[in-house]
Amino acid sequence: MKLQMHSIHFDADQKLLDFIQMRLDKLETYYDRITEGEVFLRLNNNDGIANKTVEVKLFVPGATLFVKEEATTFETATDQALNALTTQIKRHKEKMMSH
């Protein structure tokens, strides 16, 4: 799956980008018609510990799936986003099958 990665106001480490790509590639096992995706990585300036935000936008035929997760690390936020997107993809696929 083709992912565009955007790290806002910082330079993301290549290992992090590879990790995100590897994780999100797993979504294709649930639904193979994902056309492309965008990932936005942000460092929040709030005082909380969970100051890393991962936003993922996936384009599938007939819909755009979106999830935004915050956590203490980008890896944790990515895993949370992966779980949320897995649920969304399964729901979307069921909806497409029922039509």
Side-chain angles (χ1 to χ4, degrees):
M1 167 186 10
K2 198 177 109 206
L3 286 176
Q4 290 180 13
M5 308 264 191
H6 307 282
S7 46
I8 313 299
H9 302 306
F10 77 102
D11 290 326
D13 184 282
Q14 188 59 46
K15 276 193 335 208
L16 174 63
L17 300 178
D18 292 344
F19 173 85
I20 294 169
Q21 179 77 53
M22 184 185 74
R23 278 293 203 263
L24 295 181
D25 278 347
K26 291 181 179 179
L27 292 170
E28 291 186 304
T29 59
Y30 303 108
Y31 193 54
D32 58 3
R33 296 185 56 203
I34 301 169
T35 51
E36 66 175 314
E38 281 187 293
V39 178
F40 295 92
L41 304 172
R42 285 191 172 82
L43 288 169
N44 304 332
N45 292 335
N46 61 6
D47 295 333
I49 301 169
N51 67 342
K52 314 272 190 314
T53 303
V54 173
E55 294 177 12
V56 183
K57 203 186 289 186
L58 290 182
F59 302 99
V60 295
T64 300
L65 307 178
F66 179 79
V67 66
K68 178 179 179 178
E69 294 292 340
E70 291 184 2
T72 52
T73 67
F74 284 118
E75 290 82 1
T76 305
T78 300
D79 285 341
Q80 291 169 349
L82 177 66
N83 292 339
L85 283 167
T86 301
T87 306
Q88 284 186 32
I89 283 176
K90 287 178 180 173
R91 262 196 238 131
H92 176 73
K93 195 173 172 182
E94 283 168 19
K95 205 162 80 176
M96 299 310 279
M97 297 293 194
S98 66
H99 286 289

